[in-house]
Amino acid sequence: VLVYSAGTALNVPLDVLDMPAAAIELMHAFSLVHDDLPAMDNDDLRRGRPTTHRAFDEATAILAADALQPLAFSVLASGGPASLEPAMRLALIELLAESCGSNGMTGGQAIDLQSEGRSLDNAELEHMYRLKTGKLLRASVLSAAYCVPGIAAGVRNGLEVFVDSLGLAFQIRDDILDIEGSTEQIGKHAGADIERDKATYPAMFGIEGARERLRELLDTGLEALSVLGPGAENLRQVAKFIVLRET
Amino acid sequence: VLVYSAGTALNVPLDVLDMPAAAIELMHAFSLVHDDLPAMDNDDLRRGRPTTHRAFDEATAILAADALQPLAFSVLASGGPASLEPAMRLALIELLAESCGSNGMTGGQAIDLQSEGRSLDNAELEHMYRLKTGKLLRASVLSAAYCVPGIAAGVRNGLEVFVDSLGLAFQIRDDILDIEGSTEQIGKHAGADIERDKATYPAMFGIEGARERLRELLDTGLEALSVLGPGAENLRQVAKFIVLRET
């Protein structure tokens, strides 16, 4: 959704956007399957259905997800219109690789697991959130920007600030839902963070403190989009949806 | 080693070969760490040392390996001489992605796990070996060929036949060593295949049948290299080393 919203704001053709959108979706699916594993978050439910290692077995879950990573890169290397510039494909590949490796999603998950039972300070918590969730969201929005040859620096900066705020807001909303939502509502086991004594925003600042930071981040994000004008309306809606979602 | 041996046979500069060599080594390391996991082969030893999940823990082993995949693609997207053609980098990325996904290494490992306790016929066993080990070896040799613009079709075909034979031979040698080698010698737990009732070449054709197939494959592989002339001496040595190795 983010790839398409950002892409339409930038007038990128939809058949070009399919390629990064598919790649990011594959990477996201990979991360969810591994994060749910017994050795990780040990979750039985995801989107209201049994997690992959529950529906099949652990080895299948590890391998199925492992195979999604190369598929994502393959999509970027050869998917979409054949006319796309090789250099543009390489930039998308580099962006995705950076967002998913040790300085991105996977590194963030490692910090998250190490933080159980320990106390992180505010800066450490936000760093973890930026890697774990923020980097892939960033790749979604910037992928659209990479599809625009010679994009203005101001527009690209606006998108960076927007998605940086959005990533943090998304994770804080997730933390709040883990406390306030029911298992049916959020489609995964509610209260899991507290049981595992995980570092979260509400645990650190209370529910009200978390809500306040959420509003602050939404304002910062929306303001940064002003440089894109009315075309960014979809992106604004996505931002509000993420911050106000109940599931 | 294979990337460099094939590359020197084709006169590819060494600083160009570093890039695919590093990427393939990263992918290989990723696969070893996941294959050793408790949910997979459950091995405690690798190259005579504790496996990653033994030295650290399971979550760390899963994540550390997960982070190696994007790093491998990142190396191909932006490593090595800046002058390399983007289209050539994309071809290397596509080759690596194909060799590691569900139609390659990871798919082969999935078939391998499903085969425990079942009987595979000869064609199924060779298919599994081709995916599990053969595809990454193929990527090593063909990566060097991809670094040669306008390589002759005959040379490329010769390399394909060579590496196809080599991949099978490597795996059969592995099977034989699992039976005949000691744990110290092979650096991992000897006899593990038999304990798990895995489909292997010696289990199917006996040790002598396996040895015979090995010699056959070596002959086919070496013959296919004749098209490369004396420059392929390194490749020939590597092939013999793999088929005759004791560790």
Side-chain angles (χ1 to χ4, degrees):
Chain A
V1 174
L2 270 174
V3 179
Y4 291 110
S5 306
T8 49
L10 299 166
N11 294 316
V12 181
L14 286 179
D15 65 334
V16 173
L17 292 176
D18 284 341
M19 182 189 54
I24 284 164
E25 195 57 37
L26 289 165
M27 275 297 184
H28 188 218
F30 144 77
S31 75
L32 296 180
V33 172
H34 277 194
D35 285 0
D36 287 337
L37 285 170
M40 307 270 217
D41 293 347
N42 194 21
D43 276 318
D44 296 336
L45 278 180
R46 169 70 66 180
R47 295 174 184 162
R49 299 181 60 187
T51 46
T52 310
H53 65 275
R54 281 285 169 194
F56 302 93
D57 58 40
E58 221 180 308
T60 305
I62 295 171
L63 291 170
D66 281 348
L68 294 178
Q69 285 215 54
L71 191 55
F73 288 107
S74 180
V75 164
L76 293 178
S78 60
S83 59
L84 290 179
E85 282 296 324
M88 194 188 95
R89 292 183 186 272
L90 285 180
L92 291 170
I93 288 168
E94 184 69 28
L95 177 67
L96 185 66
E98 192 211 319
S99 76
C100 295
S102 56
N103 287 317
M105 192 171 66
T106 296
Q109 173 71 359
I111 299 175
D112 192 8
L113 287 175
Q114 284 166 3
S115 80
E116 290 183 20
R118 283 196 222 172
S119 63
L120 299 181
D121 66 25
N122 186 20
E124 288 168 328
L125 184 67
E126 294 205 355
H127 175 65
M128 186 262 278
Y129 283 170
R130 281 206 163 83
L131 295 191
K132 192 184 165 181
T133 324
K135 286 276 189 136
L136 196 63
L137 289 176
R138 184 172 173 276
S140 307
V141 169
L142 289 190
S143 285
Y146 281 24
C147 294
V148 182
I151 189 171
V155 172
R156 195 176 141 160
N157 288 348
L159 286 171
E160 293 231 28
V161 173
F162 163 73
V163 77
D164 188 55
S165 306
L166 192 71
L168 262 184
F170 177 87
Q171 197 62 55
I172 295 174
R173 185 72 199 160
D174 221 43
D175 290 349
I176 295 175
L177 282 172
D178 185 76
I179 294 170
E180 297 194 333
S182 66
T183 297
E184 294 74 45
Q185 209 178 13
I186 65 177
K188 56 185 181 179
H189 179 52
D193 292 344
I194 297 171
E195 281 169 27
R196 281 197 296 269
D197 194 14
K198 286 182 100 157
T200 69
Y201 233 90
M204 202 170 278
F205 301 101
I207 284 276
E208 267 321 303
R211 279 191 203 289
E212 197 179 313
R213 182 82 176 112
L214 202 60
R215 275 188 296 269
E216 222 176 81
L217 289 163
L218 181 62
D219 290 345
T220 309
L222 293 179
E223 207 180 291
L225 287 183
S226 60
V227 65
L228 277 96
E233 191 48 37
N234 276 345
L235 268 182
R236 288 188 193 93
Q237 294 298 332
V238 170
K240 284 178 197 160
F241 174 77
I242 282 177
V243 172
L244 305 172
R245 75 200 156 95
E246 297 293 334
T247 61
Chain B
V1 173
L2 270 174
V3 180
Y4 291 111
S5 306
T8 48
L10 299 166
N11 294 315
V12 180
L14 287 179
D15 65 335
V16 173
L17 292 176
D18 284 342
M19 181 189 55
I24 283 164
E25 195 56 38
L26 288 165
M27 274 297 184
H28 187 218
F30 144 77
S31 75
L32 296 180
V33 172
H34 277 194
D35 285 0
D36 287 338
L37 285 170
M40 306 271 218
D41 294 347
N42 194 22
D43 278 318
D44 296 337
L45 277 180
R46 168 70 68 180
R47 295 174 185 163
R49 300 181 60 187
T51 46
T52 311
H53 65 274
R54 282 284 169 196
F56 301 93
D57 58 41
E58 221 180 308
T60 304
I62 295 171
L63 291 170
D66 281 348
L68 294 178
Q69 285 216 52
L71 191 55
F73 289 106
S74 181
V75 163
L76 293 178
S78 60
S83 60
L84 290 179
E85 281 297 322
M88 194 189 95
R89 292 183 185 271
L90 285 179
L92 291 170
I93 288 168
E94 185 69 27
L95 177 66
L96 185 66
E98 194 212 318
S99 75
C100 295
S102 55
N103 288 317
M105 191 171 66
T106 296
Q109 172 72 358
I111 298 174
D112 192 8
L113 287 175
Q114 283 166 5
S115 81
E116 290 183 20
R118 282 196 223 173
S119 62
L120 299 181
D121 65 24
N122 185 20
E124 289 169 328
L125 184 67
E126 295 206 354
H127 175 65
M128 186 261 278
Y129 284 170
R130 282 206 162 83
L131 295 190
K132 193 184 163 179
T133 323
K135 286 276 189 135
L136 196 64
L137 289 177
R138 185 173 173 274
S140 306
V141 169
L142 289 190
S143 286
Y146 282 25
C147 293
V148 182
I151 188 171
V155 172
R156 197 176 139 158
N157 287 348
L159 286 171
E160 293 230 29
V161 173
F162 164 72
V163 77
D164 188 55
S165 306
L166 191 71
L168 262 183
F170 178 86
Q171 196 62 55
I172 295 173
R173 185 72 198 161
D174 222 40
D175 291 348
I176 295 175
L177 282 172
D178 184 75
I179 294 170
E180 298 194 333
S182 65
T183 297
E184 293 75 45
Q185 208 178 16
I186 64 177
K188 57 186 181 181
H189 178 53
D193 293 343
I194 297 172
E195 281 169 27
R196 282 198 294 269
D197 194 16
K198 285 182 101 156
T200 70
Y201 232 90
M204 201 171 280
F205 301 102
I207 283 276
E208 265 321 304
R211 280 190 202 289
E212 196 178 315
R213 183 82 177 113
L214 202 60
R215 276 187 295 268
E216 224 177 80
L217 288 164
L218 181 62
D219 289 344
T220 310
L222 293 179
E223 206 179 291
L225 287 184
S226 60
V227 64
L228 276 97
E233 192 48 38
N234 276 345
L235 269 182
R236 288 187 195 94
Q237 294 299 331
V238 169
K240 285 178 197 160
F241 173 77
I242 282 177
V243 172
L244 306 173
R245 75 198 155 96
E246 297 294 333
T247 60

